[in-house]
Amino acid sequence: MMLIPNLNLVFKFEKSIKFLTKSIDLGFIEDNYIERGRSYQQLGDFENALINFNLSIKLNKFNYRANINKAIVLFKLNKFENAKKLNKNLTIEEYY
């Protein structure tokens, strides 16, 4: 049985990526990298999702949303050890 993607959702995420890219170009950056990464994630483009989560983490390594989403993508890519390292590298003591 072949799964047919919901084209409305595909178009929604592609449109979202274009809008978020324009927002990033205007300087609204950290959260938009996360949202663009999530859009790529929903489309199954995990490599671009990782790129965007990493860009957000580069701006703020304590951004829990970027780190959680990165761990989810790593898990989906079967990179379990890398996902586990995220938790070890980000400790609450380091934040304070």
Side-chain angles (χ1 to χ4, degrees):
M1 179 172 149
M2 185 173 151
L3 294 176
I4 299 172
N6 182 333
L7 291 180
N8 287 330
L9 285 177
V10 170
F11 292 134
K12 174 184 167 186
F13 292 121
E14 288 174 347
K15 188 175 180 179
S16 172
I17 289 167
K18 289 178 185 177
F19 174 78
L20 291 163
T21 299
K22 287 180 183 177
S23 296
I24 290 167
D25 291 342
L26 292 172
F28 305 101
I29 299 177
E30 187 178 335
D31 287 337
N32 287 327
Y33 280 135
I34 297 168
E35 292 308 317
R36 189 168 68 176
R38 292 185 64 206
S39 293
Y40 280 121
Q41 181 180 355
Q42 292 297 320
L43 292 171
D45 186 349
F46 299 127
E47 295 305 319
N48 274 317
L50 280 177
I51 289 168
N52 281 273
F53 297 141
N54 285 332
L55 287 168
S56 182
I57 291 167
K58 186 176 179 180
L59 294 171
N60 177 5
K61 71 177 182 175
F62 298 110
N63 188 315
Y64 71 93
R65 290 180 57 228
N67 282 287
I68 288 170
N69 282 291
K70 180 178 179 179
I72 290 168
V73 169
L74 290 170
F75 184 80
K76 288 183 178 189
L77 293 171
N78 295 323
K79 296 182 179 181
F80 306 115
E81 291 303 315
N82 292 356
K84 283 173 40 177
K85 287 178 188 176
L86 282 178
N87 288 334
K88 290 179 181 176
N89 292 338
L90 189 66
T91 63
I92 194 73
E93 295 84 19
E94 192 176 357
Y95 181 77
Y96 291 104

